[in-house]
Amino acid sequence: MKKLTITLLACTMMCGGSLLPAAAQKKAEQTDMKYRRSSIYSLLINHSDQTFGEEIRNAFMEMPVPDKYNDHELSVKVVELSSKLKGAGSSDENEQVTQFLEKNQIASRLVAKWFNRDIFTGQCDMELIKERGLYNATKFDEILAERSVRSQALMMDAGEDLIGNTFVLVNDIRYIDKEKTAKVVGGLFRVLGALTGYDDLGNSVGSMVESIKGFRVKINTFLYRLEWNEETANLFYKEQYAAAPDVTKWQNFNNARGTYKLKYCQKVESSGNQTSFMGINEEAKDIMVRKACQRALDENIVDLQTKVPEFRTKSPIVTTEPITAYVGMKEGVTEQSVFEVLEEIVDENGKHTYKSVATLKPEPGKIWDNRYMAVEEGAPNANLGATTFKKVSGKDIFPGMLIREK
Amino acid sequence: MCRTLLFLLSCCLSCSLFAQNLSVVTNEKGKKGYANEQGAVVIAQDYTDAEPFENGLAIVGKKGKFGVINTSGAFVIPMKYSSIKAWGEKLFLVNAGKKVGLYDQTGAEVLKPEYSHIGPLNCYGVAWITKGGAVLKSNMIYNSKWGVVTSKGVVKVVPTYAGLMEFSDTLKTVQYHEGLALAINKMITTDTMKTDGEFLGFNKKPSTAREAGILDANGNIIMPTGIATWVIRPASGMVRCYNLFSNSCKFGYYNLTTQKYIQVSSDNKSFDKIEYWTHTDFAGKFAVVNHASGWFFVDKDGNKIREGYNFVGHSKKSKVWYARRNSDKVCDVFDEEGNPFFKKDLKIQDASFPETTMADDLFAVQIDGKWGMINRAGEEKIPFNYLKMNGPNYDRVITKTESGWGVIDLEGNVVVENNFKDIYTNIEASPRYYWVQNTASGLWQAYDTTDKTAKGNEYATVYNFKDGYAFVIPKNFTVDDKSELVTFQLGTTYVKADNKVKVMNDNKKYFGMLIDSNLDVQCEGPLYLGHRKVAVEAAKKVGKPFTKAQNRALLLNLTRKYRSYNFLNGKSVNVIKEENWDF
């Protein structure tokens, strides 16, 4: 397998360089690709009163931050509620959730994390900004030290494209107990009968049949966005950012924690659809729970991206003949999806902007099923490795350009 | 003549096109072909699928069928397969509906598509191959016969076995019987083999290793089924066997050459109650058996060769056995063929043969109550001046004199002076620091071999430096066993309430700090020893001692999985205390 190097201005395809199809690429390379991502912090409201409360909690803690986002997690991940969340069924902003975020000053903590602020001394740095902003570290420091218009432009860029794209997901997960064995089991037998012609399915298949008992979760996900504007930024840099331990600036920030805000964006609810547990042994309840939760949560993220354009993620184009990208059914890609191709432009001050240069649609039958445990489930297209697209309009496309669903 | 000319011409054409680097091009109808570097379409855009050329060949497809073409566009493998992918050493794995096979790059059939599955190759270049049965939608391989194929497409073990297993189970949970046992094959299409397949277990049923037989690398049966309940990977032509019954066990070996089973020992206890080594693998001509009467050596016919020992050791590195006689407490030291290890007849009372030695011909032995070092010729290389010796451990030897413990190198030069109550063995060559126990305080301190001084803080408990960091526990180090940052490091959330106190009490002694190679405190903790690795990774990222905030953030991170807080406090939302936040 050949290693693929992505550059913003790559034009190797025009030279006929032999690039392996995306299906041949290892998934590990996906996370090595450097491009700017939004950052998220994800919280669980767990219901300790319900069955599988512990399992749901464990499953949630095992779930990684989706690879299209930066990990902006804080030390508190789980809160317990021994009853239903008040107003959970409404599609409006949830008062209790918003109050919880406000009273616990989550917005200020997300800002503190951006600047690696020492909670005891107030000392800050820009390392995370540099890392996630993909700035040239040395040049960044030089420009910042100038305290010029260029410095301001750089900080505005970091603010808009990075800090301002920090999101909080509050997930209220409840288990639904419904058994639908008879219908599904019958269906399973029919499928296997057609495939193998065997009457005696043996112990291993028997255990798979048994495991398809009703286990579903319902997830209400509330999305918030960190507010970061010029005014907030100026105040922070002037009175609260300390390059070395500073009692005054430490105090200023602590006193100002309440001024940092999260803006409510949207609430979505998962469909509660049945998750297939094919290929999972009945003993492995934790895997069943994880799969059900992961699929439902991914579904909510896709739903939020549809409703909240700022929450949509960008993905780099991997190859151009054919056009492929590491997105798939997990990101909600369907044959009706339309993607725009973005060319990233970086000016001399380091400011990043994106220009839409082309439009793509997925090739029918070539949408990668990258949902959690799709391979184990034996889902068709689970082994594709990437989704293939066709260009509908626009100019030439190069590897490294980004795509984003319209 | 014509055909030859045509063939030669097409080869020349292929070569010249190959040299041009063809790339995939798609027309406005979405059909694909190949263009040269000048952009001219040289292979018609006739395909729905076209992969880039590699080694002058490309996989193409149309209407759900796939084939392989060369750079002149001619089919090397006809376009009649439901899928094709590169496999092994320049081969193609073709799928003809429900059967798979292999082709080479000339288009010659290597394995006819009559197999139900050919798996991915492992790092040893072998893979599972099955015949019959079916591959289910869940990717399970059901009711097939199993075999082994190499990366060249050679079937080494013909797929005729319902159960085929590897000696890959390291028995980590089973004390006193270490070795490689048979592990059940998971029978999933994505599974690779775990070993090189030099030995394999086979059985009539796929789901048990009980009473399995053994095949060699070429699929020949070298031990039939039914000989023993449980077998360990062959060593030196012998198979260590266990026959297990409800209230007794029998221990023995199967000789692969004579094809005879030999019982060497037994016990009237069930296997789970056996708490001692019963018998070892053969190393050379001998194995050792443990019995109520003591240790004895057996040969490959099961004959007792030597007996009457209360202690036995073996070094794989040096290929030597040493066993202390009950009668006179003198060691017999002999090689794996049974020949005396040392050329001189010496009354060796004890010996040290570490596996980590870097010395080719230097051995620590005790003679007449004193330790020194000799070579195989029996010549003294380091004088017998020591009360105790342990080594060589890599390039160092731990020594003891009347004044205390110390360290010498392989030339006998002092690395650590013999001044200490105790000393830790090094776990790498030429370490900078040794942990030494001060006689006066009884505490441990780092001895710097560069300037031969003990320096830094003293600690009650220490662990060796690894990756530049050492885990230490200061004297009177206090651990708040009510703090969640402590209890959750032990993961006691899922332990029953009445056990939590016991778990805490049992493990309190494993909380400490991390120090760096400057002997500065990197992480003041309290850090549980089991999280050392995570702490070291965090330390490497930071590159300097943790601040108080970083220390707290690390502990919060280590315990995050188990910590949760009330969402409500009465009717209002709960405000979580500051000490639970990292920012």
Side-chain angles (χ1 to χ4, degrees):
Chain A
M1 293 194 187
K2 290 181 187 152
K3 231 181 148 163
L4 190 65
T5 307
I6 304 285
T7 63
L8 285 174
L9 300 173
C11 55
T12 50
M13 266 319 296
M14 297 311 290
C15 304
S18 58
L19 298 164
L20 281 173
Q25 289 286 349
K26 286 182 184 153
K27 196 160 189 268
E29 291 180 11
Q30 184 175 347
T31 55
D32 293 342
M33 292 183 172
K34 303 246 180 264
Y35 60 96
R36 285 184 165 190
R37 305 165 209 238
S38 297
S39 305
I40 63 173
Y41 165 45
S42 192
L43 261 173
L44 166 67
I45 298 177
N46 192 35
H47 295 274
S48 41
D49 59 316
Q50 64 176 348
T51 327
F52 293 116
E54 288 286 359
E55 287 82 353
I56 288 172
R57 213 261 294 269
N58 291 341
F60 182 80
M61 292 307 295
E62 290 297 318
M63 287 187 216
V65 170
D67 52 26
K68 305 278 184 303
Y69 294 94
N70 288 320
D71 177 345
H72 210 74
E73 302 284 77
L74 298 174
S75 55
V76 171
K77 286 284 289 174
V78 180
V79 289
E80 303 278 355
L81 184 57
S82 58
S83 58
K84 267 180 110 170
L85 175 68
K86 206 166 144 190
S90 164
S91 56
D92 296 331
E93 181 174 356
N94 188 284
E95 202 184 312
Q96 279 189 330
V97 170
T98 299
Q99 274 183 5
F100 178 85
L101 296 174
E102 276 176 8
K103 288 210 153 38
N104 285 284
Q105 301 171 326
I106 302 294
S108 70
R109 302 186 195 281
L110 297 172
V111 170
K113 184 165 175 129
W114 269 112
F115 295 95
N116 199 22
R117 179 182 175 272
D118 187 309
I119 203 169
F120 294 109
T121 67
Q123 184 174 0
C124 303
D125 63 49
M126 296 290 234
E127 297 309 306
L128 192 60
I129 302 265
K130 283 189 236 176
E131 181 192 318
R132 290 191 187 167
L134 306 175
Y135 296 108
N136 174 302
T138 314
K139 216 164 154 32
F140 184 95
D141 290 338
E142 280 169 11
I143 295 174
L144 212 59
E146 284 171 12
R147 296 180 190 277
S148 62
V149 168
R150 283 214 306 169
S151 319
Q152 278 184 343
L154 197 64
M155 295 322 297
M156 265 187 66
D157 174 62
E160 279 168 23
D161 210 24
L162 298 172
I163 303 172
N165 278 328
T166 307
F167 296 89
V168 178
L169 292 161
V170 180
N171 303 286
D172 168 44
I173 304 182
R174 287 196 72 83
Y175 157 69
I176 305 166
D177 185 4
K178 279 189 180 158
E179 296 208 13
K180 286 187 176 177
T181 35
K183 188 176 171 186
V184 179
V185 163
L188 181 60
F189 271 107
R190 277 201 295 278
V191 167
L192 285 176
L195 200 61
T196 67
Y198 287 92
D199 295 324
D200 172 14
L201 296 170
N203 288 335
S204 57
V205 177
S207 69
M208 280 194 286
V209 169
E210 281 297 322
S211 72
I212 305 176
K213 287 186 178 169
F215 177 87
R216 303 189 313 170
V217 287
K218 194 92 166 164
I219 306 186
N220 293 312
T221 303
F222 303 89
L223 179 69
Y224 293 78
R225 187 179 186 184
L226 180 62
E227 286 188 352
W228 184 262
N229 52 40
E230 200 176 327
E231 191 189 331
T232 319
N234 286 341
L235 194 64
F236 173 77
Y237 290 126
K238 198 172 156 206
E239 296 184 6
Q240 298 158 29
Y241 181 101
D246 184 318
V247 172
T248 307
K249 292 196 172 178
W250 172 81
Q251 194 65 61
N252 286 347
F253 181 86
N254 284 346
N255 291 343
R257 276 190 184 272
T259 62
Y260 292 99
K261 301 283 183 208
L262 288 170
K263 181 184 159 195
Y264 170 74
C265 296
Q266 185 69 246
K267 178 247 181 175
V268 295
E269 187 180 286
S270 64
S271 64
N273 278 340
Q274 181 77 37
T275 304
S276 162
F277 297 125
M278 283 263 267
I280 302 176
N281 192 297
E282 192 192 353
E283 302 299 315
K285 281 204 170 63
D286 54 334
I287 301 179
M288 282 163 50
V289 174
R290 166 83 194 267
K291 188 176 178 187
C293 289
Q294 184 79 66
R295 290 280 179 101
L297 194 51
D298 288 343
E299 185 192 313
N300 279 5
I301 289 180
V302 169
D303 205 0
L304 284 166
Q305 288 172 344
T306 310
K307 294 175 171 140
V308 183
E310 312 88 81
F311 192 55
R312 288 176 199 164
T313 54
K314 302 186 271 287
S315 293
I317 287 177
V318 178
T319 63
T320 52
E321 281 287 359
I323 303 171
T324 60
Y326 292 142
V327 289
M329 288 174 67
K330 181 180 152 110
E331 287 79 27
V333 176
T334 66
E335 289 186 8
Q336 285 69 48
S337 300
V338 178
F339 281 78
E340 55 180 343
V341 181
L342 304 171
E343 187 175 19
E344 191 175 18
I345 300 164
V346 185
D347 70 14
E348 67 275 9
N349 294 330
K351 185 167 168 62
H352 289 64
T353 51
Y354 300 94
K355 184 179 158 191
S356 186
V357 296
T359 304
L360 308 176
K361 284 190 70 136
E363 290 258 25
K366 294 204 174 165
I367 298 173
W368 179 28
D369 188 346
N370 60 340
R371 293 173 299 165
Y372 181 68
M373 291 190 82
V375 170
E376 289 81 352
E377 193 179 291
N381 291 351
N383 290 317
L384 282 183
T387 293
T388 305
F389 293 85
K390 59 185 177 206
K391 194 170 79 173
V392 173
S393 65
K395 58 184 234 194
D396 287 337
I397 295 169
F398 303 106
M401 283 183 171
L402 302 170
I403 62 169
R404 181 173 59 194
E405 191 161 357
K406 275 186 166 180
Chain B
M1 171 74 169
C2 257
R3 275 194 196 164
T4 312
L5 273 172
L6 274 171
F7 175 71
L8 283 171
L9 267 172
S10 96
C11 282
C12 291
L13 188 63
S14 294
C15 291
S16 75
L17 285 172
F18 187 11
Q20 286 186 52
N21 285 330
L22 304 180
S23 57
V24 177
V25 284
T26 311
N27 65 15
E28 60 285 352
K29 292 179 185 169
K31 289 290 178 73
K32 298 171 199 288
Y34 297 86
N36 60 16
E37 285 167 331
Q38 287 72 46
V41 175
V42 295
I43 296 174
Q45 289 161 302
D46 200 28
Y47 303 107
T48 49
D49 294 90
E51 293 188 14
F53 273 90
E54 195 161 339
N55 298 320
L57 295 171
I59 300 171
V60 295
K62 188 158 77 171
K63 292 181 185 173
K65 294 291 179 196
F66 293 83
V68 176
I69 57 171
N70 61 21
T71 50
S72 62
F75 277 98
V76 170
I77 297 174
M79 192 166 61
K80 62 177 188 177
Y81 295 104
S82 55
S83 73
I84 297 184
K85 63 181 181 185
W87 189 93
E89 289 183 43
K90 297 183 181 179
L91 299 177
F92 290 98
L93 175 63
V94 302
N95 189 333
K98 292 181 181 163
K99 297 276 188 271
V100 297
L102 296 173
Y103 276 86
D104 69 15
Q105 293 197 335
T106 67
E109 191 183 77
V110 172
L111 284 182
K112 195 174 165 190
E114 55 186 14
Y115 298 93
S116 44
H117 167 70
I118 296 176
L121 288 157
N122 69 5
C123 59
Y124 301 106
V126 287
W128 295 120
I129 183 169
T130 66
K131 209 166 189 182
V135 174
L136 305 184
K137 264 194 163 184
S138 60
N139 291 328
M140 273 196 70
I141 301 161
Y142 180 71
N143 210 24
S144 298
K145 301 290 187 210
W146 289 76
V148 174
V149 64
T150 70
S151 59
K152 288 184 161 68
V154 172
V155 176
K156 279 186 35 160
V157 178
V158 177
T160 49
Y161 299 99
L164 203 57
M165 296 153 275
E166 296 182 273
F167 285 99
S168 55
D169 183 353
T170 57
L171 295 173
K172 278 189 179 147
T173 57
V174 184
Q175 267 192 315
Y176 307 112
H177 304 285
E178 71 178 37
L180 286 171
L182 289 170
I184 306 297
N185 186 338
K186 280 194 236 165
M187 298 187 291
I188 298 175
T189 56
T190 47
D191 240 12
T192 58
M193 289 180 67
K194 306 286 177 290
T195 67
D196 58 6
E198 189 188 352
F199 296 106
L200 295 166
F202 72 95
N203 228 333
K204 292 188 180 93
K205 285 184 194 170
S207 52
T208 178
R210 194 180 175 88
E211 298 190 4
I214 300 177
L215 306 175
D216 68 11
N218 295 315
N220 302 312
I221 296 177
I222 54 174
M223 177 171 152
T225 57
I227 300 287
T229 318
W230 191 40
V231 295
I232 304 296
R233 189 182 188 278
S236 300
M238 301 289 285
V239 179
R240 183 164 29 123
C241 298
Y242 297 78
N243 273 307
L244 310 177
F245 308 97
S246 47
N247 289 311
S248 65
C249 302
K250 293 182 181 175
F251 311 112
Y253 297 94
Y254 184 81
N255 186 318
L256 294 175
T257 307
T258 63
Q259 297 190 343
K260 284 194 179 146
Y261 171 76
I262 315 147
Q263 182 178 318
V264 295
S265 181
S266 62
D267 202 324
N268 291 330
K269 276 189 208 146
S270 63
F271 189 56
D272 57 329
K273 291 192 169 42
I274 305 262
E275 291 185 348
Y276 58 88
W277 273 96
T278 54
H279 54 319
T280 68
D281 283 331
F282 268 78
K285 282 185 174 168
F286 309 107
V288 179
V289 182
N290 191 6
H291 195 260
S293 61
W295 290 91
F296 59 90
F297 286 80
V298 292
D299 67 12
K300 291 183 180 179
D301 293 319
N303 302 315
K304 244 186 220 183
I305 299 302
R306 296 167 183 263
E307 60 183 313
Y309 299 103
N310 63 5
F311 168 81
V312 177
H314 174 260
S315 166
K316 256 191 214 167
K317 178 88 190 270
S318 306
K319 294 188 181 359
V320 61
W321 288 102
Y322 51 109
R324 192 182 301 124
R325 302 193 285 250
N326 285 332
S327 52
D328 57 1
K329 310 290 183 249
V330 170
C331 285
D332 288 332
V333 185
F334 49 96
D335 64 23
E336 290 180 353
E337 299 305 304
N339 304 313
F341 188 73
F342 295 110
K343 291 206 169 31
K344 278 190 190 169
D345 184 18
L346 302 164
K347 287 201 171 9
I348 293 172
Q349 295 162 298
D350 202 350
S352 173
F353 291 102
E355 297 295 344
T356 54
T357 180
M358 286 168 64
D360 289 328
D361 191 16
L362 195 62
F363 306 94
V365 295
Q366 183 191 33
I367 298 175
D368 290 333
K370 283 283 172 88
W371 283 81
M373 299 193 88
I374 58 176
N375 60 14
R376 281 195 76 169
E379 297 161 345
E380 179 183 288
K381 288 294 174 185
I382 289 174
F384 282 76
N385 293 337
Y386 299 95
L387 297 179
K388 188 77 181 92
M389 259 185 173
N390 177 344
N393 299 297
Y394 299 91
D395 57 348
R396 297 282 185 262
V397 184
I398 310 291
T399 61
K400 187 181 183 188
T401 64
E402 271 91 16
S403 54
W405 287 90
V407 179
I408 57 172
D409 64 16
L410 298 180
E411 311 299 321
N413 301 315
V414 172
V415 175
V416 176
E417 281 141 11
N418 287 85
N419 282 341
F420 301 100
K421 190 174 173 189
D422 204 347
I423 190 164
Y424 267 57
T425 306
N426 50 299
I427 55 172
E428 58 187 3
S430 306
R432 178 178 170 185
Y433 293 112
Y434 277 89
W435 284 114
V436 292
Q437 189 179 27
N438 288 321
T439 310
S441 62
L443 297 174
W444 295 86
Q445 201 173 18
Y447 185 99
D448 190 339
T449 57
T450 55
D451 59 9
K452 290 193 168 51
T453 51
K455 49 176 72 160
N457 293 329
E458 288 185 308
Y459 299 101
T461 306
V462 293
Y463 293 78
N464 261 325
F465 276 88
K466 198 174 168 192
D467 302 324
Y469 297 90
F471 186 88
V472 298
I473 307 175
K475 193 174 173 186
N476 301 326
F477 186 71
T478 53
V479 175
D480 178 3
D481 56 11
K482 301 286 181 287
S483 160
E484 284 183 347
L485 291 185
V486 168
T487 56
F488 285 152
Q489 282 192 61
L490 296 176
T492 54
T493 310
Y494 307 112
V495 173
K496 284 183 188 163
D498 50 354
N499 272 344
K500 277 186 188 178
V501 172
K502 184 176 183 320
V503 169
M504 189 68 234
N505 287 339
D506 288 345
N507 287 283
K508 222 166 161 175
K509 57 183 180 276
Y510 297 115
F511 279 87
M513 313 190 309
L514 203 66
I515 62 170
D516 64 19
S517 52
N518 294 323
L519 306 180
D520 295 325
V521 175
Q522 171 67 48
C523 166
E524 63 179 26
L527 177 71
Y528 179 57
L529 177 62
H531 295 304
R532 184 193 175 280
K533 200 172 167 191
V534 174
V536 166
E537 279 166 17
K540 283 180 177 175
K541 271 191 190 162
V542 172
K544 55 186 178 179
F546 288 155
T547 61
K548 193 172 159 192
Q550 286 167 331
N551 188 67
R552 185 166 102 179
L554 172 72
L555 299 183
L556 284 169
N557 183 39
L558 288 172
T559 56
R560 191 167 67 172
K561 192 174 167 181
Y562 302 109
R563 280 182 294 104
S564 59
Y565 306 87
N566 289 331
F567 181 67
L568 294 177
N569 184 0
K571 287 188 179 169
S572 312
V573 293
N574 185 30
V575 177
I576 298 169
K577 287 183 190 168
E578 272 309 298
E579 69 210 37
N580 295 295
W581 293 100
D582 47 355
F583 287 102

